[in-house]
Amino acid sequence: MANVEFEVKNSQLKIYISGEIDHHSAFSIKDIIDAQILKVSPRTAVMNFEKVTFMDSSGIGLILARYRFCQNCGTSLYVQGLNSQTQKVLNLAGIKTIKEIIN
Amino acid sequence: MKSQNFIKLNFPSKSVNEGFARSAVAAFCAQLDPTVEQINDIKTAVSEAVTNCIVHGYRDTFGIIYITATITDNTVKIKIADKGVGIEDVNRAMQPLFTTDTAGERAGIGFAVMQSFMDSVKVKSALGKGTRVVMTKKIKPRDQNVITA
């Protein structure tokens, strides 16, 4: 089970994901996230993983597909709030184009 | 003498069961007193293997996923099998970033995750018969230097 909440401030869309990200839950939140990006059309979008308790490679697919989606919308995508487990999975994908930002 | 313990789980290939499968195997492994990181490694590897059964093995259908986890001394061996379509070229399927997904939502690193997070991963597959993944991980006993009152 994963949930997603949004916050918009100064043309920045914050995407707060919580719960466990797997193939099942990623499928249920991806369209909600894309719809929100289309609706807000922000300059930057930040996916926040602070409240994600588990993530497998479906999380990487979720990030990469959103990254491509954002590129088409002219939005820069950032990822933040990774813990040791989510970071370990992300490291395997060798993601370098998406920068992590720290508040 | 070797001490041994095992569990068997059979369940339909519904994606909602992914969370159940990894949590159940992780709970079984708890008796080895693993670290949080080791438990997360096992959960992630199980999640990848079960997802493969659902997304690939039983692509256009539903079938049963068979999990057996066996603990022998300090090592856990996890078998995850389906009776689905099978993999034509296992070596190719195990290449990082190889994916048959055209929607772009799958990263293609499921096997890479299993190989990185477990000590060994073996894959056996036959077209039309199914695929079996066998993974092992040794959980070294932690230092017994905690003084209990």
Side-chain angles (χ1 to χ4, degrees), chain A residues 20 22-24 30 54-58 60-62 64-66 68 85 88-89 92-93, chain B residues 15-16 18-19 22 37 40-41 43-44 47-48 51 55 104-107 109 113 116-117:
Chain A
E20 304 200 334
D22 60 14
H23 154 252
H24 180 74
K30 70 180 177 72
F54 171 86
M55 181 177 107
D56 67 14
S57 72
S58 308
I60 295 169
L62 183 77
L64 291 178
R66 299 296 78 67
R68 285 191 290 267
Q85 194 266 331
K88 195 173 173 180
V89 175
L92 269 178
Chain B
S15 63
V16 70
E18 290 159 5
R22 63 176 177 264
E37 187 180 6
N40 279 333
D41 288 352
K43 276 175 108 171
T44 314
S47 203
E48 301 294 348
T51 302
V55 175
E105 294 286 339
R106 308 286 318 155
I109 62 161
V113 169
S116 164
F117 289 13

Side-chain angles (χ1 to χ4, degrees), chain B residues 32-50:
Chain B
L32 290 173
D33 192 26
T35 61
V36 173
E37 187 180 6
Q38 287 168 330
I39 274 288
N40 279 333
D41 288 352
I42 291 168
K43 276 175 108 171
T44 314
V46 170
S47 203
E48 301 294 348
V50 170

Side-chain angles (χ1 to χ4, degrees), chain B:
Chain B
M1 198 189 114
K2 284 188 172 181
S3 65
Q4 208 174 56
N5 194 7
F6 70 89
I7 54 161
K8 282 176 189 282
L9 301 170
N10 296 348
F11 53 89
S13 59
K14 294 174 187 290
S15 63
V16 70
N17 287 330
E18 290 159 5
F20 159 75
R22 63 176 177 264
S23 298
V25 174
F28 174 68
C29 294
Q31 63 195 279
L32 290 173
D33 192 26
T35 61
V36 173
E37 187 180 6
Q38 287 168 330
I39 274 288
N40 279 333
D41 288 352
I42 291 168
K43 276 175 108 171
T44 314
V46 170
S47 203
E48 301 294 348
V50 170
T51 302
N52 276 352
C53 298
I54 295 168
V55 175
H56 302 292
Y58 297 121
R59 173 171 300 238
D60 301 312
T61 174
F62 283 102
I64 304 294
I65 297 171
Y66 306 85
I67 299 185
T68 309
T70 310
I71 289 173
T72 307
D73 294 331
N74 298 315
T75 301
V76 61
K77 182 168 156 183
I78 304 163
K79 278 188 216 176
I80 300 178
D82 65 63
K83 292 183 179 172
V85 294
I87 303 168
E88 197 176 339
D89 185 342
V90 171
N91 287 330
R92 187 159 165 253
M94 290 180 81
Q95 292 291 319
L97 304 182
F98 173 80
T99 178
T100 53
D101 172 48
T102 48
E105 294 286 339
R106 308 286 318 155
I109 62 161
F111 279 122
V113 169
M114 291 181 234
Q115 285 171 323
S116 164
F117 289 13
M118 301 294 279
D119 294 341
S120 73
V121 180
K122 281 180 192 154
V123 183
K124 208 178 164 189
S125 191
L127 274 184
K129 289 186 175 171
T131 302
R132 188 179 71 190
V133 174
V134 182
M135 312 183 276
T136 66
K137 192 173 182 73
K138 188 173 183 180
I139 309 292
K140 287 182 193 118
R142 290 195 242 179
D143 291 341
Q144 302 290 315
N145 55 5
V146 180
I147 299 159
T148 46

